[in-house]
Amino acid sequence: MREAYHDQLSRLIDQLADMCGMVGTAMERATRALLDADLDLAEQVIGGDAEVDDARANCEEYAYSLLALQAPVATDLRKVLAAIHAAESLERMGDLALHVAKAARRRHPHAVLPDSVRDQFAEMGRVAVDLARQAEQVVRTQDVNLAKSLEEADDQIDELHRNLFTVIMDKGWPHGVPAAVDITLLGRFYERFADHAVSVARRVVFVVTGRMPGYGNDEIV
């Protein structure tokens, strides 16, 4: 019975890790659609978002069934609770990739991004996808040191996001208000995507240590 129960917990962790892979792929495709005005890629992301939603629902249903039927305690209980919270963050990451893809579709066949910010968004996309991939490894391995390293990559996204405002607030900005609004929103989507990836990693730290990092005095939230 105990062995079967731990197999069920492992299945729950695998579901979460698979979700990390799904949202990483979604953001990778959405970024390419944004940079290349690729409508087909944008439609792939938009059409695939329901799969992420379904994955969250399945993960939560499975987690709640474990709570109800197995009454886990200690580390096992933390795993189940962390999975519920992480699944929510991962679904939100999928939604943010969806927003990027919809921006690319809305402006098609025209490019959303002026040349002056293309490099910043290419880098933001690269870092965001790397964060999702690293989160997948954190979930699978429960490596606390790797989990904590995601904070540094998140700082890169924050810095790139801040730099965008320097560009669009310049008095010589030639692309008008609609482009500035698009860039502001898109930058925010990438920033939040990274924040949620870090949140997933923090949940793993919570599972291993019993404490949630990053909220002052390591209080559990």
Side-chain angles (χ1 to χ4, degrees):
M1 288 289 292
R2 195 66 183 170
E3 184 177 347
Y5 169 52
H6 281 289
D7 286 344
Q8 291 173 321
L9 279 177
S10 295
R11 179 182 173 189
L12 178 62
I13 298 304
D14 286 342
Q15 288 177 331
L16 278 179
D18 290 345
M19 282 189 72
C20 291
M22 292 170 68
V23 299
T25 297
M27 184 55 90
E28 185 174 39
R29 291 173 176 170
T31 300
R32 183 49 52 193
L34 186 70
L35 294 170
D36 296 345
D38 189 322
L39 183 59
D40 288 340
L41 275 179
E43 294 289 3
Q44 286 182 37
V45 177
I46 294 165
D49 183 62
E51 295 180 19
V52 178
D53 295 342
D54 289 344
R56 178 197 174 175
N58 291 336
C59 186
E60 288 187 341
E61 181 179 356
Y62 198 70
Y64 285 127
S65 71
L66 288 176
L67 287 175
L69 299 176
Q70 302 291 351
V73 296
T75 300
D76 290 346
L77 177 60
R78 292 202 298 269
K79 283 183 181 179
V80 177
L81 294 177
I84 293 170
H85 288 289
E88 180 181 2
S89 287
L90 288 164
E91 183 192 26
R92 185 58 185 149
M93 289 167 73
D95 290 340
L96 291 161
L98 173 69
H99 294 334
V100 173
K102 283 185 173 181
R105 183 176 69 176
R106 185 171 61 251
R107 298 296 185 190
H108 188 270
H110 304 292
V112 179
L113 303 174
D115 289 342
S116 57
V117 296
R118 279 180 56 84
D119 288 347
Q120 288 97 319
F121 275 97
E123 183 64 6
M124 290 176 78
R126 183 193 68 77
V127 176
V129 172
D130 283 350
L131 279 165
R133 305 296 188 215
Q134 290 176 49
E136 179 179 358
Q137 291 305 308
V138 168
V139 170
R140 292 192 189 280
T141 65
Q142 296 190 13
D143 186 328
V144 171
N145 290 327
L146 180 58
K148 291 179 178 179
S149 73
L150 267 69
E151 301 274 359
E152 296 179 8
D154 182 46
D155 290 342
Q156 295 179 44
I157 291 275
D158 291 341
E159 181 63 24
L160 288 163
H161 186 232
R162 284 191 293 269
N163 289 342
L164 287 175
F165 287 101
T166 302
V167 176
I168 64 178
M169 294 301 290
D170 187 279
K171 292 181 179 179
W173 173 257
H175 304 290
V177 172
V181 171
D182 281 342
I183 290 166
T184 300
L185 290 174
L186 286 164
R188 181 62 172 163
F189 297 154
Y190 283 95
E191 182 194 35
R192 293 301 297 149
F193 185 96
D195 288 344
H196 282 291
V198 170
S199 178
V200 172
R202 286 174 172 166
R203 296 292 171 186
V204 173
V205 176
F206 168 65
V207 167
V208 176
T209 68
R211 292 183 176 274
M212 182 71 77
Y215 293 101
N217 300 320
D218 285 338
E219 70 176 272
I220 298 175
V221 297

